[in-house]
Amino acid sequence: MKNITGKKITAVILGNSILGIGVALLRFSQMGNDPFCAANMALSDGSGIGLGVFQMAVSLILFIVQLICGRKYIGLGTIVNVFLLGYIVEYVGKGIELIAGNGQSYALWQQLIIMAVALVILSFGLAMYQVADMGVSPYDYLALGMTDHMPTQYFANRIITDGVCVIVILTAVFVKFIGWDMSHLGVGTVITVFCLGPLVQVFTGWHEKWIN
């Protein structure tokens, strides 16, 4: 939380907003979401609880771990992510569906284009919010905290946390909790796990020029 500036505050709020738009658009593509959001979407759909409320509740539970073990990673970015991201994804998603209809009605090539655009938007927003260096989300902290307290490297820890989210989705599907809906998992899920880092890095240098 050192050297707080107007640019950094703007980057945190705007970055999370753009990130939410990207996640909502990725959901609309029907090609699968990033593991954490996909797990929240799957369980939210099955429980009938709105995504905004559900994701905030999960994030608050994870925030307890972050508060106990990783206070140095808490900042404005953490608060914005916990309380706003889920609602942004939920209501932007509803807006997209109202304007463009159901993503399932689109051809595969159209869904792939939407997915590609969504990943660029998502990466752009994520890089902006991370460059501000004003705290990370409770979920992102899990891999960082494991790296701080365990001998395993960050890359492996991130795969572990993302893998747990995928297991949650598959378990929910197995018990018919969400009616065997696999739309939250797909090509987009695989791409976010292995390619999101490089995509974020592409935008990081550009954001550093105006934020820092």
Side-chain angles (χ1 to χ4, degrees):
M1 293 293 286
K2 296 180 180 179
N3 301 318
I4 298 176
T5 65
K7 289 182 178 180
K8 288 189 175 185
I9 294 174
T10 299
V12 167
I13 298 174
L14 184 60
N16 272 283
S17 299
I18 295 174
L19 171 61
I21 293 171
V23 172
L25 196 57
L26 191 58
R27 183 182 192 180
F28 177 73
S29 75
Q30 300 291 311
M31 299 300 292
N33 269 87
D34 68 279
F36 180 62
C37 288
N40 284 322
M41 290 173 184
L43 296 175
S44 169
D45 289 348
S47 65
I49 301 173
L51 178 61
V53 174
F54 193 93
Q55 183 153 324
M56 182 176 66
V58 172
S59 294
L60 283 172
I61 293 172
L62 297 179
F63 178 71
I64 295 174
V65 178
Q66 187 178 9
L67 185 62
I68 295 172
C69 304
R71 293 185 181 180
K72 66 180 181 179
Y73 294 107
I74 297 175
L76 177 63
T78 309
I79 305 304
V80 172
N81 190 278
V82 168
F83 291 101
L84 292 183
L85 184 60
Y87 288 103
I88 293 172
V89 174
E90 179 180 358
Y91 289 104
V92 169
K94 290 180 179 179
I96 293 174
E97 187 171 340
L98 185 63
I99 296 171
N102 192 323
Q104 294 178 343
S105 63
Y106 285 68
L108 178 60
W109 67 270
Q110 292 173 312
Q111 292 177 326
L112 288 171
I113 291 176
I114 295 170
M115 179 193 73
V117 172
L119 286 170
V120 171
I121 294 173
L122 190 159
S123 302
F124 185 86
L126 182 58
M128 185 187 299
Y129 133 72
Q130 288 184 345
V131 168
D133 193 24
M134 294 182 67
V136 301
S137 72
Y139 177 72
D140 289 333
Y141 163 70
L142 292 180
L144 291 170
M146 290 168 66
T147 305
D148 288 345
H149 296 93
M150 297 172 62
T152 48
Q153 296 183 348
Y154 174 79
F155 180 77
N157 293 331
R158 184 71 192 209
I159 291 179
I160 291 172
T161 57
D162 288 344
V164 170
C165 290
V166 172
I167 291 173
V168 168
I169 300 169
L170 293 176
T171 302
V173 170
F174 181 74
V175 299
K176 299 184 180 181
F177 187 53
I178 55 173
W180 298 90
D181 182 5
M182 291 290 288
S183 65
H184 301 298
L185 290 177
V187 177
T189 309
V190 177
I191 291 177
T192 55
V193 170
F194 294 102
C195 301
L196 191 59
L199 287 171
V200 169
Q201 189 61 39
V202 170
F203 294 113
T204 295
W206 187 84
H207 286 310
E208 286 177 342
K209 294 178 180 179
W210 72 270
I211 295 175
N212 297 323

